[in-house]
């Protein structure tokens, strides 16, 4: 009986599922550890007020990115044919681009009342204006990762996560030594750009073909997978709000310094959940 159990365990650990899971988990663990490990360094360089603005910026991104493609990206892994998956990817990113532009226009027009509402100094208005760009890039990265998961390129998914966090941390520290006020923001943007560029390179290596994109097919798939925007978007948006709105509320009523401390505590406490 014991020998049969040992044989079963060995077969499980040697399976493709176990290898793929370990690859994803190891990449996720490393990507989560990088921002935590650099916190003692960058917290010495940047003010608590700046970290408060940065926390609100990240919270807004986390809330908005779940709706910018209306959750169509979640369907990328479903079709049997790559042609359909390519067009779902394209549909998701077309909606992502259009909604991100709408958010940018709204923030350009109403940035002063928005800054006053969330209680951020006009000194940090670039954090607000960068939200649509970063939201677009973050949503693009999710679609890229889902394509790579579809193609079972799990190592590439892990590399994408590590590349983003590594670039982000290195440049945030570097920009502070260069005494750039917006070092946190610039480092974050570079991290997202590095992830997106590297990820796009990976999906083209793994079967993504632009020639498969068809306007007719995109229109057809938007109706075929309409359940995602109808039943998934609002619930996911509410879930993101429940997790991230407290940072914005604390910043509004208790100031950026308290929001920064709260965000650091949240980062540490939510790390185990992120790994799961």
């Amino acid at each position: 009986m014991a020998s049969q159990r040992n044989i079963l365990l060995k077969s499980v650990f040697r399976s493709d599922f176990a290898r793929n899971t370990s690859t994803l988990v190891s990449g996720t663990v490393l990507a989560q550890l990088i921002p935590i490990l650099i916190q003692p360094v960058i917290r010495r360089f940047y003010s608590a007020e700046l970290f408060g603005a940065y926390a609100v910026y990240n919270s807004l991104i986390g809330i908005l990115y779940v709706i910018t493609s209306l959750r169509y990206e979640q369907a990328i892994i479903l079709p049997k044919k790559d042609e359909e998956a390519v067009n779902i990817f394209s549909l998701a990113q077309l909606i992502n681009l259009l909604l991100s532009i709408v958010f940018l226009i709204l923030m350009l027009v109403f940035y002063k009342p928005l800054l006053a509402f969330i209680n951020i100094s006009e000194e940090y208005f670039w954090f607000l204006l960068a939200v649509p760009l970063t939201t677009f890039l973050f949503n693009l990265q999710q679609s890229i990762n889902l394509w790579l998961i579809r193609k079972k390129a799990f190592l590439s998914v892990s590399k994408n996560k590590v590349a983003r966090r590594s670039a982000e941390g290195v440049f945030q520290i570097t920009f502070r030594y260069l005494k750039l006020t917006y070092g946190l923001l610039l480092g974050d943007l570079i991290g997202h750009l590095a992830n997106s560029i590297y990820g796009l390179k990976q999906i083209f290596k793994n079967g993504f073909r632009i020639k498969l994109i068809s306007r007719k097919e995109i229109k057809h798939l938007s109706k075929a997978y309409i359940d995602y925007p109808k039943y998934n978007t609002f619930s996911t948006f509410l879930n993101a709000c429940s997790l991230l709105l407290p940072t914005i509320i604390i910043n509004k009523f208790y100031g950026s310094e308290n929001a920064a401390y709260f965000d650091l505590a949240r980062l540490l406490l939510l790390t185990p959940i992120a790994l799961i």
Side-chain angles (χ1 to χ4, degrees):
M1 188 71 178
S3 62
Q4 290 179 346
R5 186 164 57 248
N6 291 334
I7 293 171
L8 179 61
L9 288 173
K10 286 180 180 179
S11 65
V12 169
F13 286 117
R14 291 176 182 174
S15 66
D16 289 341
F17 174 78
R19 286 196 296 271
N20 295 336
T21 301
S22 63
T23 300
L24 282 175
V25 169
S26 60
T28 303
V29 169
L30 186 55
Q32 291 294 326
L33 284 177
I34 290 171
I36 293 174
L37 291 175
I38 68 170
Q39 289 302 310
V41 179
I42 61 176
R43 294 273 167 175
R44 294 178 58 193
F45 293 156
Y46 297 101
S47 68
E49 183 182 6
L50 184 60
F51 266 104
Y54 183 62
V56 172
Y57 157 82
N58 278 319
S59 296
L60 289 172
I61 293 166
I63 291 171
L64 293 178
Y65 104 87
V66 301
I67 62 173
T68 50
S69 62
L70 301 180
R71 307 302 287 169
Y72 272 113
E73 79 280 2
Q74 297 299 311
I76 289 172
I77 61 175
L78 297 181
K80 293 181 179 179
K81 297 180 180 179
D82 281 352
E83 181 181 358
E84 287 191 16
V86 166
N87 282 284
I88 294 172
F89 184 105
S90 304
L91 170 63
Q93 293 317 302
L94 178 61
I95 297 171
N96 181 27
L97 178 61
L98 292 175
L99 287 180
S100 295
I101 291 172
V102 170
F103 289 140
L104 177 60
I105 293 171
L106 290 174
M107 289 180 181
L108 283 170
V109 174
F110 300 108
Y111 80 90
K112 285 190 176 181
L114 281 171
L115 287 173
F117 179 75
I118 60 180
N119 191 27
I120 290 182
S121 169
E122 287 194 28
E123 179 184 358
Y124 303 121
F125 77 102
W126 283 109
F127 280 101
L128 186 64
L129 295 186
V131 166
L133 171 60
T134 314
T135 300
F136 170 78
L137 292 174
F138 194 63
N139 190 289
L140 172 62
Q141 291 155 28
Q142 302 309 305
S143 293
I144 288 171
N145 286 337
L146 286 166
W147 176 272
L148 293 173
I149 290 172
R150 169 186 173 81
K151 305 301 288 186
K152 299 183 179 179
F154 300 102
L155 182 59
S156 295
V157 175
S158 294
K159 286 181 177 179
N160 287 350
K161 294 179 179 181
V162 174
R164 176 200 159 191
R165 290 301 188 180
S166 298
E168 175 186 306
V170 167
F171 280 99
Q172 284 179 341
I173 294 172
T174 302
F175 287 142
R176 179 48 187 158
Y177 276 113
L178 296 175
K179 298 182 179 180
L180 296 179
T181 304
Y182 285 96
L184 281 176
L185 175 61
L186 292 173
D188 185 76
L189 287 173
I190 289 174
H192 282 291
L193 284 170
N195 193 348
S196 299
I197 293 170
Y198 182 79
L200 287 171
K201 181 180 177 181
Q202 290 300 316
I203 64 172
F204 283 112
K205 282 185 176 180
N206 286 276
F208 190 93
R209 298 291 181 266
I210 293 178
K211 66 181 181 180
L212 296 176
I213 298 174
S214 162
R215 184 170 63 180
K216 182 179 179 181
E217 187 69 9
I218 288 175
K219 185 176 180 180
H220 166 70
L221 292 170
S222 68
K223 297 177 181 178
Y225 291 95
I226 194 67
D227 284 352
Y228 281 90
K230 283 176 65 176
Y231 302 114
N232 199 340
T233 302
F234 187 62
S235 60
T236 308
F237 174 73
L238 290 179
N239 186 55
C241 287
S242 69
L243 181 63
L244 297 168
L245 269 181
T247 302
I248 299 173
I249 293 170
I250 288 172
N251 186 81
K252 177 174 177 60
F253 293 105
Y254 301 101
S256 295
E257 186 173 348
N258 287 312
Y261 292 136
F262 173 80
D263 187 65
L264 176 60
R266 186 181 64 83
L267 172 67
L268 295 173
L269 293 173
L270 290 179
T271 297
I273 297 176
L275 298 181
I276 294 172

